Amino acid sequence: MSRYFLQFRILCFLLAGSFSAGAAPAGKWSAKWEPAKLVNGSPVLFRVTAPLQLTELRGSFLGQEFSFRSSKACHCWYGFAGVSLTTKPGTYTLHVDGKGPGEKEATMSYAVTVAAAHYPTSALKVASGFVEPPKETLARIEEDQATKKKVFATTMPEIRWSGSFQPPAEAEVSGVFGSARTFNGVKKSQHTGLDFRVNTGTPIAATNGGTVILARPLYFEGNCVIIDHGQGLLTLYLHLSEFKVKEGDAVEKGQILGLSGGTGRATAPHLHFAVRWRGEYLDPKTLLELHPPAN
Ligand SMILES: [Zn+2]
């Protein structure tokens, strides 16, 4: 049995802040990523071209494995990954591992620089019951946590999104991702979503294709819809006044999921839109700005 291996192992280091950050051509391999300047909290779209025809390409980055899809539009492979909020600035390795016909294999590594994000701080005032929930609500909150844990643990291996992610509402942004938040003067958390200023009753659309894995009221989140887009990528839509989908529904990009509202822990009606990947919240604004190729 002969087994033919092609090994390409060149590590290309990029200078932080250099104009060409985000692209690292090396031999016949090439890799690019969006956004070009990665920070903690960024979703990332990798595009790779390989020196031989491949039937499969897998990647690993920051301890997570993910699969690439091939695109005729770009003659490349593209894959989605993320940089957690807690990732320290530094240089990390993207490793790609491809399989071609006749058991050919090809691997490559790229050095990817992650810089520190500068997220703002904001102070909020909400009804005191949501800062220190009354005792009688604790069972409800615990039940919600168990529900979320179960939902977050079960994700589809099949990728259901394609092309760009569209905004869930055509509205002004009223709160950005990553800001440190104090509720009634007490530092509670970092804001892990993107808020859209919408009045109650505004239709909220699916940002891409997927399956509804949660559509029910929760104490803090209010009426909440969660879509599984496959391979650990979820989008969440909070504080809705009304549901237009139910758990188990397959949804297409742009399909109306519900109407906006101010249910749960909300100071006023708005949409809190969040992106979760493999247990980490990522910046939704960056996800909406990615340019995935057509398949
Ligand atoms: Zn929010």
Side-chain angles (χ1 to χ4, degrees), residues 181 191 195 270 272:
R181 289 198 144 177
H191 186 231
D195 291 340
H270 73 284
H272 173 102

Side-chain angles (χ1 to χ4, degrees), residues 111-135:
V112 179
T113 300
V114 174
H118 301 288
Y119 294 123
T121 300
S122 64
L124 292 180
K125 276 195 175 155
V126 293
S128 63
F130 286 106
V131 177
E132 285 173 46
K135 273 201 186 99

